[in-house]
Amino acid sequence: MYTNTMYAIADVLCLFIFLIGSYYTVIGFFSLFGRKHDKSKPGRIRFAAVIPAHNESNVISDLILSIRKCNYPQELISVFVIADECTDSTAALSRKLGARVISRPISTCKGDALSEAFSVILTEHTYDAVAVFDADNLVDSEFFSVMNERLSSGKEAVQGYVDSKNSDSSWISYAHSVWYWITNRLMQTGRAVLGIGCVLDGTGFVLSTELLEKVGWKTTTFAEDAEYTCLLAESGIRVDYAENAVVFDEKPRTLKESVRQRRRWTQGMFDVQSEYTFRLLKHGKLNALMNLWGDVLSSVSFAVLTVSAFVINFGIWQSTVGKITLWIYILFNILIMLLALVKDKKISFKIILNIFGFLIYIISWLPVSFFGIFGRRNGGWYHTKHKGKD
């Protein structure tokens, strides 16, 4: 009796994991289809480009210059640089290029820096939207034009496509890049096609100032993007996705940099998940909840089901139908990932050459997450050191 009960529990758990994995597979599948956008006459959105920066003299000039080269009326773009406890020439270089500098003598976290900048911007009543960038970014020339169209069609929060500007710097930067390429398509585009709401991704996103006045920027964690996404979901506001509004982000070059960056991100995500999981359930925001846990659940479910196909041979996976179902699930997901890379023109022979590096990157998430969660109260905001051009 005890054994039968245990097998029954195991079967239910396996089925539950399969359903979770299938949820993300469906999202990934729909990411391969086209998407209709609301037709509207583009307005003349006035943007405040906001850049949090801590000792970013190596890269800040390139970012500001890329904004100034955008195919959008420059009189409608003002650049705000938040000099966050800077001890180098970040502030001076920014002012030289025409940016307004907001100095913070003490660095706490990125969310606090953004909050201070948003307060200044909202007080002036001059801008229609804020566009947030990391200091190491480069901005595609059509970014503001695309965002102008989305905001003019009634969207209030829009995430752009976060690409990589240094995928070839090292095996770890390439692994980071591949991960972003896959999740950009499978998760962000898929959610947008289905209309279930996307997630803010830390950089390359815009928020209308009207939205900021309605849902204040009150983030307290190191994962301010995920936290504000949850706050928006609670207010019934879905984040849109603009795959043609591209920003290029600098990925970590070494495993040590990668681990430190992801460890800090894990700390912030754990705090957000702890705070908002039951809040989202309470408000019936199931898609937002699945978005919050997306990186964890999609990866874990795929890993568990893949292992099940090779190792587990009991219960629902023992039957012929069960085995076939597992293999269809695995092969279908691999096919979707490959098609996503092809569709975005990211597929190349280098992916095959770097497959082991990518696997190391994926596997390393387990210890990174473990130490990130249990050490989440230690230390402050970790600033990634950016080198700019190779």
Side-chain angles (χ1 to χ4, degrees):
M1 179 65 180
Y2 176 77
T3 302
N4 290 336
T5 301
M6 292 300 294
Y7 277 133
I9 293 174
D11 284 347
V12 171
L13 181 60
C14 288
L15 181 60
F16 181 65
I17 293 173
F18 179 75
L19 291 175
I20 289 176
S22 298
Y23 171 88
Y24 295 109
T25 299
V26 169
I27 293 176
F29 174 71
F30 276 96
S31 75
L32 302 176
F33 294 89
R35 178 186 174 203
K36 294 182 179 180
H37 298 295
D38 298 330
K39 292 184 178 180
S40 64
K41 185 178 180 179
R44 302 271 292 182
I45 301 297
R46 294 165 298 178
F47 289 97
V50 182
I51 309 168
H54 171 76
N55 290 344
E56 299 286 9
S57 58
N58 289 334
V59 293
I60 194 68
S61 296
D62 291 337
L63 170 57
I64 296 175
L65 289 173
S66 73
I67 293 174
R68 290 307 177 200
K69 292 178 182 177
C70 283
N71 183 26
Y72 193 77
Q74 287 298 311
E75 66 271 15
L76 298 180
I77 305 175
S78 295
V79 178
F80 289 78
V81 173
I82 313 165
D84 198 71
E85 198 177 346
C86 289
T87 57
D88 66 354
S89 58
T90 296
L93 288 172
S94 300
R95 290 191 182 97
K96 184 178 180 180
L97 292 173
R100 292 178 56 180
V101 176
I102 300 173
S103 297
R104 300 185 75 232
I106 300 177
S107 176
T108 50
C109 67
K110 181 180 175 182
D112 290 346
L114 289 174
S115 179
E116 189 167 332
F118 293 162
S119 295
V120 173
I121 292 166
L122 292 177
T123 300
E124 295 184 359
H125 303 288
T126 303
Y127 304 97
D128 302 305
V130 298
V132 177
F133 305 103
D134 284 341
D136 59 291
N137 292 166
L138 293 176
V139 182
D140 182 77
S141 61
E142 297 300 318
F143 180 90
F144 290 98
S145 296
V146 173
M147 289 301 189
N148 179 57
E149 292 177 359
R150 294 298 171 86
L151 293 174
S152 297
S153 69
K155 305 302 181 184
E156 298 179 279
V158 188
Q159 174 63 53
Y161 184 104
V162 182
D163 206 336
S164 172
K165 75 176 188 181
N166 66 319
S167 60
D168 292 330
S169 293
S170 67
W171 70 269
I172 193 67
S173 64
Y174 194 81
H176 269 269
S177 301
V178 173
W179 175 256
Y180 266 82
W181 294 337
I182 292 174
T183 56
N184 274 336
R185 167 61 61 175
L186 298 188
M187 292 294 100
Q188 295 283 51
T189 303
R191 291 167 182 146
V193 170
L194 292 170
I196 59 176
C198 303
V199 298
L200 298 179
D201 203 11
T203 186
F205 65 88
V206 300
L207 306 170
S208 72
T209 50
E210 184 177 340
L211 173 62
L212 282 172
E213 290 175 342
K214 182 169 50 177
V215 182
W217 186 273
K218 302 174 182 177
T219 65
T220 59
T221 70
F222 292 124
E224 74 291 331
D225 48 356
E227 187 175 359
Y228 195 68
T229 301
C230 292
L231 288 170
L232 292 177
E234 286 185 326
S235 300
I237 298 168
R238 292 174 177 172
V239 177
D240 191 34
Y241 185 60
E243 60 275 12
N244 294 324
V246 184
V247 295
F248 299 90
D249 189 49
E250 184 177 311
K251 308 306 181 190
R253 288 170 164 80
T254 66
L255 183 60
K256 181 179 180 180
E257 289 177 0
S258 171
V259 168
R260 293 187 68 180
Q261 185 184 82
R262 288 184 287 156
R263 178 174 173 267
R264 179 60 68 201
W265 180 84
T266 302
Q267 292 174 4
M269 282 301 299
F270 184 84
D271 287 335
V272 175
Q273 289 161 346
S274 299
E275 175 67 24
Y276 287 93
T277 293
F278 291 106
R279 286 173 57 170
L280 293 174
L281 275 175
K282 181 181 178 181
H283 289 89
K285 306 296 183 180
L286 296 182
N287 282 316
L289 179 62
M290 296 297 280
N291 287 348
L292 176 63
W293 285 89
D295 286 339
V296 175
L297 293 180
S298 61
S299 301
V300 169
S301 59
F302 182 74
V304 169
L305 294 171
T306 300
V307 171
S308 299
F310 289 96
V311 178
I312 299 178
N313 190 34
F314 65 82
I316 60 176
W317 305 135
Q318 188 176 30
S319 66
T320 301
V321 173
K323 292 177 180 178
I324 292 175
T325 300
L326 267 184
W327 279 105
I328 289 176
Y329 166 84
I330 294 168
L331 294 175
F332 189 61
N333 273 277
I334 293 174
L335 177 62
I336 289 175
M337 283 187 271
L338 290 175
L339 289 175
L341 292 170
V342 170
K343 195 172 182 67
D344 287 341
K345 299 179 181 179
K346 300 297 186 182
I347 194 72
S348 70
F349 188 65
K350 287 189 296 184
I351 289 180
I352 299 175
L353 295 177
N354 286 276
I355 189 66
F356 291 108
F358 184 67
L359 290 175
I360 292 173
Y361 169 79
I362 295 299
I363 294 171
S364 68
W365 269 106
L366 184 60
V368 167
S369 300
F370 178 83
F371 288 108
I373 290 172
F374 289 98
R376 66 186 185 280
R377 297 302 178 190
N378 298 327
W381 180 18
Y382 167 64
H383 298 271
T384 303
K385 295 181 180 179
H386 298 119
K387 298 179 180 179
K389 299 178 182 178
D390 290 324

